[in-house]
Amino acid sequence: MPQAASWAGTPHIKGSTESMRMALLTVSLIGLQFTWGFEMTYCTPYLLQLGLTKSKTSLVWIAGPLSGLIMQPVVGVLADNSRSKWGRRRPFMIGGSLAVGACLLVLGWTKEVVAMFVTEPGMIKSCTIVLAVLCIYAVDFAINAVQASCRSLIVDTLPISKQQIGSAWASRMIAIGSLVGYAAGTIDLVKIFGPTLGDSQFKQLALIAAVFFNVAVGLTAWAVQERVLISAKDPDAKSDVVKMFNKILKMTLNLPDRIQAICWVQFWAWIGWFPFLFYSTTWVGEVYFRYHPETDVSTSKDTLGDIGRVGSLSLVVFSIVTFLGSVLLPLIIQSPDQDRRKFTPRGPSSITPIIETIQRNKPDLLTAWQWSHLIFAGAMCLAPFVRSLQSATIIVALCGIPWALACWAPFAFMGIEINRLTTPATMLANGSSYRRLSNPSSDDFSSPAPSPTFLRLNHLDRDVDDGTSNDSSTGETAGIYLGILNLFSTLPQFVGTFISWIVFSILEPGKSPELHEDGSKDDVEKAADGPNAIAVCMFIGALSAVGASYATTRMKAMTK
């Protein structure tokens, strides 16, 4: 019979208020999303500018799903069994962030790095492409290790009753990171800073992303104190690679029904999100150059920067909508565990009927998630018919609402399910058990107020107060379960990559007329006469989003 896991110490987050603690716990996601935003905004046009075709560029983006497929579950298993004195998650966060920063700097200066070792002009171009692709792969692998650890840290630290709040805060930080990143992309940084940080927009953003990422992750690592794992449930467990992958495979094939349902919704949703996230900036830039007669790529001094700035402007609006959604939606959407707590806020007797009516008619999170898929599908269906920058911006902005829910809902549901599975068997190193106190009417999740302690220890030979909540959060298997959820986010990206490769190969097999150095205005006008390949990929993604909505309906039936 496996023994209970034993721990030393208690989880703690610096900060005097719940809002401050939640902000410090999730601030790392700002840096993470800033970096993702830079990569998704500028790296596709950068590769096109180096001379890759769209079909070949689409194959480069296998890096995203491949790194997620490998790194997140592997890091999840390694971290779940880590007995580091610094905790289970933070060492991976710090190590990964340093690797991300180094690779971003090399990515920004690939031409200069190659020129240090290669002198033949033809070889310089080929080697620059190879090094750029390798840097993108390295960034994706490292950033996925950090992302897995950041998400697991939230589940580890918060009780069940705070999982939705934690996920909502994570969604807000992601929105802020996107907003800051895309806003930086709209500014002509070279004009402001000169050549001090680099002689191009791409170089300066790469440097800023490297620094910002490390500062944000470092802040969370400083603010959060983790428990230290003394012994795992299985004392004979080994961390060899074969056993690790066997464990991942076994758990993936035998997921609890509700977790499996969440994963399948995520699978269909991400087939739709892939072309939007990776190609929307390039799409907006192409709409701008192809359908606005006053533009001329041949007169642009920095076409990459121009497309990046135009695309980033639309994504700034997208990020504002996402941020507003992440702040306002939790106020009007019923918590997944609200029916369990049966807690209704009371106001003055004169407005009590109004409050009760609002509470009664609040949509639940699952329904909101379902409708978000349909909103996204409707927006993507319009993409092939867009012929103006304004219309493209409106469509991109509209997707901010479903994206806010995509960054919130699956992790909220997973956090609840993981903690329901792992609550019973938590032990401390001294043989004591604990339960986390949670008062739904309180803004704090400490025990008891006003003490900043997060866990009340109860020795096994003493009775626990009847009023103590059962909302303990152990997160013993959070890493692997969230890693498996990420599998269902990354596998569909392989599908999206394959679809994009086929569409690009058929509709736009040549080099990008907007970004390639030999492109002219006539080439751009010729491209405008045919269908936009990226818009077609988005339309196909809309069909998958409808499938995600149907999968959410099935998940809803399971919860009744």
Side-chain angles (χ1 to χ4, degrees), residues 273 368-382 395 397-403 405 542 545-546 549:
W273 279 111
W369 196 20
Q370 178 184 11
W371 277 99
S372 73
H373 299 312
L374 296 177
I375 293 172
F376 178 71
M380 292 298 94
C381 283
L382 298 174
I395 287 178
L398 184 61
C399 293
I401 297 172
W403 182 242
L405 281 155
V546 173
S549 180

Side-chain angles (χ1 to χ4, degrees), residues 157-197:
T157 308
L158 301 179
I160 292 177
S161 60
K162 298 296 181 181
Q163 288 295 328
Q164 171 170 283
I165 298 175
S167 291
W169 269 91
S171 179
R172 291 167 195 166
M173 293 303 184
I174 289 172
I176 292 172
S178 298
L179 179 58
V180 173
Y182 296 140
T186 64
I187 302 170
D188 191 342
L189 297 176
V190 178
K191 187 176 181 180
I192 295 175
F193 298 111
T196 306
L197 303 180

Side-chain angles (χ1 to χ4, degrees), residues 12-83:
H12 174 74
I13 309 172
K14 292 180 172 66
S16 57
T17 65
E18 181 183 75
S19 294
M20 178 60 71
R21 289 192 289 269
M22 288 290 186
L24 289 171
L25 177 63
T26 56
V27 70
S28 57
L29 297 176
I30 296 182
L32 194 146
Q33 193 60 31
F34 183 99
T35 305
W36 276 129
F38 162 71
E39 184 183 67
M40 291 185 289
T41 302
Y42 276 87
C43 285
T44 293
Y46 178 59
L47 293 174
L48 293 174
Q49 187 184 55
L50 291 178
L52 286 181
T53 62
K54 281 187 179 178
S55 57
K56 290 180 180 178
T57 300
S58 69
L59 296 179
V60 172
W61 291 122
I62 291 178
L66 184 64
S67 59
L69 183 68
I70 296 173
M71 291 301 292
Q72 293 220 18
V74 170
V75 169
V77 172
L78 291 174
D80 283 344
N81 294 284
S82 172
R83 300 179 188 180

Side-chain angles (χ1 to χ4, degrees), residues 301-332:
K301 296 180 180 179
D302 183 9
T303 309
L304 171 61
D306 290 341
I307 284 185
R309 281 188 287 272
V310 170
S312 294
L313 185 59
S314 65
L315 290 173
V316 166
V317 184
F318 163 82
S319 299
I320 292 173
V321 174
T322 300
F323 176 72
L324 292 176
S326 66
V327 173
L328 299 177
L329 289 176
L331 303 178
I332 61 175

